[in-house]
Amino acid sequence: MAKEKKQGRSFTGTQKIAIERMYRLNELAEDEVKNNPKRSARYVELIRGLSTRFRISIPREIKDRFCKTCGNYWAEGVSVKRRVKGKTKNSNCRICGTLTRRKISEEKNEEKRKHKTN
Ligand SMILES: [Zn+2]
């Protein structure tokens, strides 16, 4: 998984651990989202807490999974509506109604970077 990912900056030991914990929390949130969305929202809170405490940004693949406005973890097709519009991917939160736009080209760059490091 996303270990030892070098992106032109180096993380301290604790930051690396925090990132690993984020991935773990993301997995837990994913497991719970259908049966226990409230618990998933709590995991999102923890992920954000780690990000603030260790001054690291949340990896995009995780950030993409929850609403940054209401903090709810998105269940695909249930609490989020995703639509690709030209070169933009829209994620529409069904809980608070926030629309998040993301350029698809950005994602592709990220993919390339991933393959390089693997
Ligand atoms: Zn929302």
Side-chain angles (χ1 to χ4, degrees):
M1 267 189 51
K3 280 177 189 165
E4 302 293 327
K5 210 186 339 180
K6 277 185 187 158
Q7 293 187 333
R9 58 175 287 193
S10 52
F11 293 113
T12 64
T14 36
Q15 282 177 326
K16 275 184 195 163
I17 292 166
I19 289 171
E20 274 174 32
R21 211 179 285 170
M22 281 180 181
Y23 278 100
R24 181 74 190 122
L25 288 166
N26 178 55
E27 278 170 30
L28 292 170
E30 199 170 357
D31 286 345
E32 294 282 354
V33 71
K34 288 220 167 82
N35 302 318
N36 205 338
K38 273 193 185 147
R39 194 176 290 172
S40 292
R42 175 78 188 124
Y43 290 136
V44 170
E45 236 174 76
L46 292 172
I47 291 170
R48 290 171 132 183
L50 286 170
S51 156
T52 323
R53 185 146 35 113
F54 296 97
R55 295 172 186 224
I56 41 177
S57 55
I58 302 169
R60 170 162 298 164
E61 56 206 282
I62 298 175
K63 213 159 44 177
D64 228 20
R65 303 301 313 274
F66 64 85
C67 177
K68 61 177 183 229
T69 306
C70 65
N72 271 294
Y73 197 83
W74 284 329
E76 209 68 49
V78 179
S79 48
V80 67
K81 207 160 80 182
R82 294 194 202 270
R83 186 179 286 169
V84 177
K85 209 174 180 184
K87 282 180 181 172
T88 326
K89 195 171 85 179
N90 293 338
S91 304
N92 203 172
C93 177
R94 284 190 173 174
I95 295 152
C96 69
T98 302
L99 186 68
T100 312
R101 289 193 183 88
R102 179 148 296 147
K103 276 184 190 154
I104 288 169
S105 56
E106 278 177 32
E107 270 180 17
K108 280 191 181 150
N109 288 338
E110 194 113 322
E111 280 298 306
K112 263 183 222 160
R113 231 180 293 156
K114 248 186 238 166
H115 287 304
K116 229 185 249 177
T117 48
N118 281 342

